[in-house]
Amino acid sequence: MIDRSIGTLLKKNVKNYGMFIALMAVFIFFALATAGTFITPRNLSNLFDQTGYVAVLAIGMTLVLIIRQIDLSVGYACGFIGAIAALLMKNFPGIPVLAVIAVAMIIGLLIGLYQGVLVSKFMIPAFVVTMGGMFIFRGLLLRVTEGTGTVIVKNKFFNALGNGFVPSPMIKIGSSRYSLVCLAATALLIIGMIASSTAARRNQQKYNLSVSPKGMFTFKMVFFSALILFFGTELAQFHGLSWTIVIVMVILAIYHFIMNNTTLGRHIYAVGGNPEAAELSGISVKKITMFVFASMGVLVGVAGILFTSRLQSASPAAGNAFEMDAIAASYIGGVSASGGVGKVTGTIIGALVLNALQNGMNLMSVGQSYQYVVRGAVLIIAVLFDVRARRVKI
């Protein structure tokens, strides 16, 4: 009986935290394969910034996949919105950056609402609607950049969103210098994680729900704290926190709260778990679908800003295959292929795994053809892992 319970516990935790194990394995492999270049502060900072727009898209895609839908239009919609933002700043040099960001998010919202209406009200399959959207936004992107080609963005404040860092005094510890703001943010993140996890555990115990043994819970807290501390101290040695990381963390915190602490979040999971049962219980599946697609649209606008800012330009090729990266990151991060299961925190790890693979293989000068093969294999393994895990009674 004891051996069986321990085995069940291990299976459950491997299922829940498999993406963290994968992340550690990827980092260790590339750290060894590149003689430490992969885990230098400069490269890790670039890796996190490169992951920014994918992570934002993947957070929105997680909700879409949870309710058993899909959005294939996010890539070119992201490129189109980024191009609109670049053209606004080029044609109206005095326009405030905040106004540009607002316009991008409003356009994204309208796109999301338009597609949400077609899916929820007119019952057109999301695959068809968003595939049509993919062609539409690709055409619009080509149209708005037709006369200019690549649009260079010269606004320094805008470009700082994808390349700049939060101002911070530097302190010397030993032979290295660290960003004080980054160290403080790291400490707060660790404290917040431990406090929230402890509160959630106590709440589960209060309602007589099963929890992991205290020893395993303590190990989990130590493991995650060490992981956060490692990344935090490494980033602190290279200019500290980037604005991209701050934006992604704010979005992650908002969506983590929505999905775990609100009625809306519970309804999203309910719709994904069983739409018919959710409808019978009084949940409006149409409204939930509309919200999820509208949310996806807003995040597409944010991702378009981050990507354009990162490259400091908008090009006719922007957005190519972004939707594939977002979907892959969601599945690698633990979203179930059958819907109803997934966490935005896991999706961020999935995005990191995906971009770490690309970054590490670039450092090793692996050809693009092999890179696509590896990333595709990782996606298939992630979905296979989910399918196999669901066959095990936990």
Side-chain angles (χ1 to χ4, degrees), residues 43-55 162 244 307 310 351 355-356 358-359 362:
N43 189 64
L44 287 179
S45 181
N46 288 333
L47 171 61
F48 277 84
D49 285 349
Q50 290 165 1
T51 305
Y53 71 91
V54 175
T244 296
F307 181 74
R310 177 70 179 167
N355 279 271
Q358 183 178 10
N359 182 281
N362 284 336

Side-chain angles (χ1 to χ4, degrees), residues 275-355:
E276 293 80 12
E279 192 74 54
L280 290 173
S281 66
I283 298 172
S284 174
V285 175
K286 290 183 178 180
K287 288 182 179 179
I288 293 297
T289 303
M290 282 287 294
F291 170 81
V292 168
F293 274 94
S295 165
M296 182 76 257
V298 172
L299 293 182
V300 165
V302 176
I305 292 294
L306 287 178
F307 181 74
T308 305
S309 172
R310 177 70 179 167
L311 268 62
Q312 302 182 35
S313 63
S315 73
N320 184 34
F322 286 8
E323 67 282 352
M324 296 296 104
D325 288 339
I327 294 169
S330 299
Y331 281 134
I332 293 171
V335 173
S336 174
S338 58
V341 175
K343 294 183 178 180
V344 291
T345 48
T347 294
I348 294 294
I349 301 302
L352 269 176
V353 169
L354 202 62
N355 279 271

